[in-house]
Amino acid sequence: MDIAVLAYDGVFDSGLAAILDVLDGANGMRTELPEPPPAWKVTTVGFRRRVRTGAGHVVETASVAEAEKADLLLVPALAERRPDALIAHVSGPASAAARRLVVAARERRTPVASACTGTFLLAESGVLNGRQATTSWWLAPYFRKRYPAVTIDETRMVTSSGGVTTAGAAFGHVDLALAIVRMSSPALADLVARYLVVDERPSQAAYTISAALAQSDPTVAAFERWARVHLDEPIAISDGARAIGVSERTLQRSVRRTLGTSPVRFVQDLRVERASHLLRTTDLPLEVIARKVGYEHANTLRILLRERTGTTAGALRRR
């Protein structure tokens, strides 16, 4: 497989390096397998001979024309943490050439992939419309608002849909590169992960900070503050709406628009977040923790933890 990795001014250094390192490692380790997959030819391409990364390093690139014969186009993230600045960049003239490159690749039916803030560039180019995707969990509210034609699930670490693969937050570039290796050889992907000491991370849910997500909308933020005070009690959404001075319908719409979920599930996320914290930082029995987050029976919490975090209460405690 010929892979073109796009380097551009402002590219996230760790994202670019992670992709190159994982693929280089896979090439180096493939012969350790009884039936090795074909090697990957990886070319770093750019619109100029030299580009400057977000941290100020200079990367030499091959001509972007090399991407025309690639079997996969990889677009690492932009080194930008501010949502407004990120959207302005990916929608502005500075990213016009990159957007055209992505569109041209998909018109040739060449698969494309990106992670973290790079998913905004794919969405801005239109290649994610009607598809499923993931992105950095903390950017999901902004992504959801700007790109309503994309079905976003920020709990996923890697998602593939219709020839486009997306991955989660910054170090999701490692997961993205391993997913690409896994498409050719699951055994090789597992081997590379063992050498790199990378655990499988199918979900971002365990890393999500609900309060950070809520801050992008004042109604959701107010509901989040109210819900935290009442987590150890039965919570009625109508009571929460009344307490923050909006109708239940308005609250439902605000939470759905911002978080892509319902107020009930958001409260469950808050309970899981607090329970996970108590498991990691205290010796309280699960039964006591369950009552502290509003559940009468520990088994209810146990099931919810596994569903939302992808792991068990015991594993969270061992961390």
Side-chain angles (χ1 to χ4, degrees):
M1 177 183 286
D2 287 349
I3 298 178
V5 181
L6 178 65
Y8 54 92
D9 286 336
V11 70
F12 179 52
D13 294 65
S14 295
L16 174 62
I19 289 170
L20 296 176
D21 285 344
V22 170
L23 293 175
D24 182 66
N27 273 336
M29 297 176 202
R30 49 184 285 278
T31 55
E32 297 184 28
L33 298 180
E35 298 180 5
W40 288 268
K41 179 187 175 184
V42 182
T43 305
T44 304
V45 303
F47 298 105
R48 296 200 317 274
R49 178 69 176 172
R50 292 178 177 84
V51 300
R52 191 170 295 277
T53 68
H57 297 106
V58 175
V59 176
E60 293 196 1
T61 69
S63 170
V64 75
E66 294 290 319
E68 295 180 8
K69 55 187 179 184
D71 301 304
L72 172 67
L73 173 64
L74 271 170
V75 183
L78 174 72
E80 177 56 72
R81 298 179 180 86
R82 299 165 298 169
D84 290 346
L86 169 62
I87 291 171
H89 185 93
V90 300
S91 63
S95 293
R99 295 195 302 272
R100 289 194 296 269
L101 181 69
V102 169
V103 171
R106 291 306 297 140
E107 288 177 345
R108 296 191 301 271
R109 298 185 178 275
T110 300
V112 298
S114 190
C116 192
T117 54
T119 60
F120 279 70
L121 182 62
L122 299 193
E124 194 68 34
S125 72
V127 302
L128 283 174
N129 288 348
R131 293 181 169 85
Q132 295 180 333
T134 188
T135 191
S136 298
W137 63 262
W138 54 278
L139 287 170
Y142 305 95
F143 189 106
R144 186 172 284 110
K145 181 178 180 180
R146 183 164 180 84
Y147 309 115
V150 184
T151 302
I152 187 75
D153 181 0
E154 66 272 24
T155 67
R156 299 287 298 276
M157 187 62 79
V158 179
T159 297
S160 291
S161 178
V164 185
T165 302
T166 51
F171 290 101
H173 287 85
V174 174
D175 303 84
L176 177 64
L178 286 172
I180 290 164
V181 175
R182 188 169 286 110
M183 291 175 188
S184 295
S185 173
L188 181 56
D190 291 341
L191 181 64
V192 174
R194 288 173 68 90
Y195 272 99
L196 295 179
V197 195
V198 178
D199 292 329
E200 185 178 6
R201 300 176 294 181
S203 175
Q204 297 185 81
Y207 305 92
T208 300
I209 302 172
S210 299
L213 292 176
Q215 296 313 304
S216 61
D217 183 276
T219 298
V220 180
F223 176 67
E224 182 256 343
R225 290 192 295 271
W226 177 86
R228 285 188 183 278
V229 174
H230 299 277
L231 277 187
D232 60 344
E233 310 167 11
I235 288 180
I237 303 306
S238 56
D239 291 344
R242 192 179 305 111
I244 64 174
V246 299
S247 68
E248 184 173 355
R249 185 183 179 92
T250 296
L251 177 59
Q252 294 274 1
R253 286 178 171 174
S254 295
V255 174
R256 177 67 62 182
R257 181 180 62 248
T258 303
L259 306 179
T261 190
S262 67
V264 170
R265 286 184 64 87
F266 181 47
V267 170
Q268 290 175 339
D269 290 340
L270 294 175
R271 285 173 163 156
V272 165
E273 180 186 276
R274 180 172 292 181
S276 299
H277 173 74
L278 291 172
L279 283 166
R280 290 193 301 265
T281 60
T282 75
D283 294 324
L284 292 172
L286 187 62
E287 291 76 11
V288 174
I289 292 175
R291 289 194 293 272
K292 283 182 174 292
V293 297
Y295 294 114
E296 183 177 352
H297 302 292
N299 198 49
T300 303
L301 176 60
R302 187 178 287 111
I303 293 170
L304 193 61
L305 285 168
R306 181 179 287 277
E307 176 191 317
R308 297 299 171 83
T309 69
T311 190
T312 64
L316 287 168
R317 172 147 279 166
R318 287 192 294 274
R319 289 180 184 175

